[in-house]
Amino acid sequence: MAPSRHDFQDLKRRVSIERILGQRGLLHTFSVSANKLVGPCPLHRGDSRSAFVVSRARNLWYCFTACRAGGDIIDLVRRLDHVGYAEAGRVIARLAGPEIVAAPPRPAFRPFTRPLSLDPDNPFLRDKGIRPATAAAFESGHYRGAGFLQGCVAVRLHDPAGAPLGYAGRTLDPHRAQRSGKWRLPTALPKHSTLFNYHRVDRRLSGGLAVVEDPWSVMRFAQVGLPAVAILGATMSTEQCALLAPATAILLMLDGDAAGQQATRLLRDQLVATRLRVVTTALPENTDPDQLTDGELRAAWDCFSGLRQKP
Ligand SMILES: [Zn+2]
């Protein structure tokens, strides 16, 4: 395989012109000082002992007499061997030997702990039946600044112990939602161990818990005094399942679209395998939990409570 552009840069850094001259048995004709090599030109084979100069620091060469040309190590090998770039690269790569290349580092998650100023009185939230006081309590609202959360209704995320992780943003721009999804999450967020609202309800798990997809449904449940967590998507990790293990029973209420229905079947099996009692609520087609009335949310919970108390 021909060396890539990146490989050429790497080879120029790793192999010195001095080494090429040494390999070709030419170094003895050069005078060597700290920063340069000076000797007869190995390209036009002239006899001037000062024709060819190599800068050791910059790893570049120049012939001041017949060639009146210069370049880097690739150019030198091309001219010495009368070969193209690719072959010159291979010649130098053989000289360089294998390099131990470290895997590129994964971006580490860094929690964003500063509280943001958000406007909880927003049409998007009102449309979901979320009162400004509720949004404020959940540290959610319209973000008016620039950057990552620009044009989003943001909501603060915490780890299971309640330490802030940063903010998730739901974009209000339909084109952006179409292009790159509705949600913006912090880089490298440990989503597998994050359950939205868990730290606020973890002492109430024994009374049962609603599990929903997004923070809006959690806020709607909270408004009628019922505990809920959001999995921030339609899949669950083993860590998220383990966090829910102390709950006596789970009311699984995902969105009423095809994806939500499929996810409901998968998550039910997953939670049952964690020895949890699970009640699923099938919502009408294309209905999300946040579109239910307060009365419908309570009715779903009452039905769940009745079922989970059966022996
Ligand atoms: Zn020359």
Side-chain angles (χ1 to χ4, degrees):
M1 211 169 73
S4 71
R5 190 186 164 87
H6 166 80
D7 293 328
F8 279 128
Q9 294 304 325
D10 187 51
L11 290 172
K12 285 188 220 175
R13 184 174 56 74
R14 288 167 59 207
V15 182
S16 68
I17 288 173
E18 195 174 343
R19 196 152 162 219
I20 286 287
L21 296 175
Q23 186 219 16
R24 306 297 165 99
L26 298 164
L27 203 54
H28 69 277
T29 63
F30 281 77
S31 65
V32 180
S33 68
N35 45 30
K36 61 184 178 181
L37 312 174
V38 181
C41 177
L43 301 174
H44 79 266
R45 299 172 191 276
D47 54 9
S48 164
R49 297 196 61 79
S50 59
F52 194 87
V53 178
V54 176
S55 160
R56 300 179 80 186
R58 299 171 63 205
N59 209 25
L60 295 173
W61 61 271
Y62 196 83
C63 170
F64 286 92
T65 59
C67 300
R68 293 199 166 273
D72 57 30
I73 191 167
I74 310 283
D75 299 310
L76 180 62
V77 171
R78 278 177 59 223
R79 286 165 186 251
L80 275 174
D81 296 354
H82 307 287
V83 294
Y85 278 105
E87 179 57 24
R90 280 189 281 267
V91 167
I92 299 165
R94 279 197 289 276
L95 201 59
E99 187 182 42
I100 297 156
V101 180
R106 286 164 62 93
F109 175 71
R110 285 175 46 207
F112 175 82
T113 55
R114 192 162 58 80
L116 294 178
S117 171
L118 303 171
D119 179 5
D121 191 4
N122 177 270
F124 175 84
L125 292 169
R126 277 202 301 275
D127 191 47
K128 294 195 173 294
I130 296 164
R131 295 191 288 269
T134 310
F138 279 91
E139 298 177 88
S140 178
H142 188 209
Y143 181 66
R144 298 191 188 284
F148 164 68
L149 294 171
Q150 183 171 19
C152 285
V153 171
V155 59
R156 200 168 200 183
L157 304 174
H158 299 81
D159 73 9
L165 298 173
Y167 289 80
R170 164 67 165 86
T171 182
L172 299 180
D173 176 352
H175 299 295
R176 193 166 155 202
Q178 188 88 50
R179 212 170 47 241
S180 46
K182 292 176 184 174
W183 284 94
R184 314 220 61 205
L185 294 173
T187 302
L189 174 77
K191 199 159 168 272
H192 58 93
S193 61
T194 305
L195 281 173
F196 177 77
N197 201 40
Y198 185 81
H199 68 292
R200 297 189 188 95
V201 298
D202 60 347
R203 283 178 297 279
R204 296 173 67 186
L205 294 181
S206 60
L209 184 74
V211 172
V212 297
E213 287 186 40
D214 60 48
W216 322 127
S217 306
V218 169
M219 294 183 207
R220 287 294 313 283
F221 269 105
Q223 285 185 168
V224 291
L226 298 173
V229 297
I231 56 178
L232 305 174
T235 58
M236 258 172 94
S237 68
T238 47
E239 286 101 320
Q240 287 172 317
C241 277
L243 286 168
L244 296 175
T248 49
I250 299 288
L251 171 63
L252 188 59
M253 194 188 268
L254 305 186
D255 294 353
D257 53 14
Q261 287 161 13
Q262 194 187 352
T264 298
R265 288 190 287 275
L266 290 171
L267 295 191
R268 183 184 51 211
D269 294 348
Q270 209 177 340
L271 289 165
V272 168
T274 320
R275 298 170 180 279
L276 278 161
R277 292 196 63 180
V278 181
V279 175
T280 59
T281 303
L283 294 182
E285 185 71 27
N286 295 321
T287 304
D288 296 350
D290 59 47
Q291 290 169 295
L292 301 181
T293 65
D294 285 356
E296 286 167 331
L297 285 176
R298 276 201 204 90
W301 182 270
D302 291 344
C303 181
F304 159 66
S305 295
L307 287 170
R308 80 186 156 83
Q309 277 157 13
K310 277 188 192 165

